[in-house]
Amino acid sequence: RIRGILPEEGFAALYGPPACGKSFLTLDMLAHIASGQHWFGHRVRPSPVAYVAFEGAHGVPQRVMAFQREYWALDQISFIEAPTISLVEPADREALIDVLRQHLLTSGVLCIDTLAASAPGIDENSSEGMGKLISELQAIQYEVGGCILVVHHTGKDRERGLRGWSGLNGALDAAIEVTKAGSGSRSWKLTKAKDGQDGLGSSFDLKPVFLMHDEYGEPITSCVIA
């Protein structure tokens, strides 16, 4: 989907610690995939995009509004709110697959934000819990085609990479780590590329965007990738 970064088919993750900018970077990536525009200089294959917000759905409209105010309309992305479903439940998984098929969101990019929130209550550190969730996501990918991109967190020890069961990284076709240095500088780096060259990456900034005033006259803002 993004040459050298995100595969056309398979299972990928974008991960990082809290407040590193990964939600903004995820939306920015999906916007470029949906429109077919180059992302950080990398060629993009335009594709159907579905973004499923399991966590932090209240912040999505503001991020979308900021992006549209600064760049272009995101009417090519389908936003799906799913705060009460669990992808390890067969009925919930089938319901999501049905929605994707009905709206012709197959053979594209399906973003799951976040991985842990898509299956409330699972033990992220166990092969049984996380292994089952990965298996269910792979089943969804098999049914609808394309690439599944999950948003995930790093653990307390950043050097260990993705939070939870070590087998998660082994299941991925691509992994993108987002970091924020003490100086405030941010960057993303491809830490795993099953069929490519890892180590690719770039720095980026978050640019504040004014949206509106609230009922008390205080400014409401969000950010975009710059």
Side-chain angles (χ1 to χ4, degrees):
R1 306 295 163 161
I2 303 176
R3 184 169 178 79
I5 306 295
L6 195 67
E8 185 170 356
E9 304 279 332
F11 185 35
L14 188 149
Y15 67 99
C20 67
K22 59 182 179 290
S23 293
F24 297 103
L25 190 68
T26 298
L27 180 63
D28 189 78
M29 174 190 283
L30 297 176
H32 283 75
I33 293 171
S35 65
Q37 299 197 45
H38 281 48
W39 190 68
F40 285 92
H42 296 269
R43 192 169 69 244
V44 171
R45 179 191 297 274
S47 308
V49 172
Y51 177 52
V52 188
F54 288 93
E55 180 178 286
H58 62 279
V60 173
Q62 291 186 3
R63 292 195 290 271
V64 169
M65 189 183 300
F67 186 95
Q68 294 187 140
R69 184 157 295 182
E70 191 70 16
Y71 296 121
W72 61 82
L74 295 180
D75 49 11
Q76 294 166 303
I77 299 179
S78 294
F79 294 92
I80 303 170
E81 289 189 27
T84 61
I85 76 171
S86 172
L87 293 184
V88 295
E89 297 295 332
D92 287 350
R93 185 193 71 217
E94 290 302 320
L96 177 59
I97 291 172
D98 286 344
V99 167
L100 295 172
R101 284 176 171 162
Q102 287 171 18
H103 294 275
L104 304 179
L105 298 171
T106 56
S107 299
V109 175
L110 170 62
C111 179
I112 303 294
D113 186 1
T114 61
L115 178 63
S118 70
I122 68 162
D123 183 354
E124 290 186 53
N125 296 303
S126 76
S127 58
E128 181 180 359
M130 189 62 85
K132 179 172 176 53
L133 176 55
I134 292 170
S135 177
E136 296 296 342
L137 287 169
Q138 290 172 331
I140 293 172
Q141 192 271 334
Y142 177 79
E143 290 290 334
V144 301
C147 178
I148 289 186
L149 172 69
V150 298
V151 180
H152 196 43
H153 301 284
T154 49
K156 293 181 179 179
D157 181 1
R158 177 181 161 264
E159 298 302 319
R160 296 183 62 185
L162 294 132
R163 187 176 74 188
W165 180 50
S166 59
L168 171 59
N169 189 63
L172 295 172
D173 297 296
I176 301 167
E177 181 183 23
V178 185
T179 56
K180 179 183 178 183
S183 62
S185 63
R186 305 167 195 269
S187 63
W188 64 265
K189 183 173 73 172
L190 188 66
T191 57
K192 181 179 182 181
K194 193 171 183 180
D195 298 312
Q197 176 187 357
D198 57 13
L200 296 174
S202 178
S203 59
F204 68 92
D205 292 319
L206 291 185
K207 177 182 177 180
V209 176
F210 168 78
L211 301 179
M212 65 187 81
H213 288 100
D214 66 13
E215 59 186 305
Y216 303 105
E218 296 294 329
I220 297 174
T221 63
S222 187
C223 293
V224 295
I225 299 298

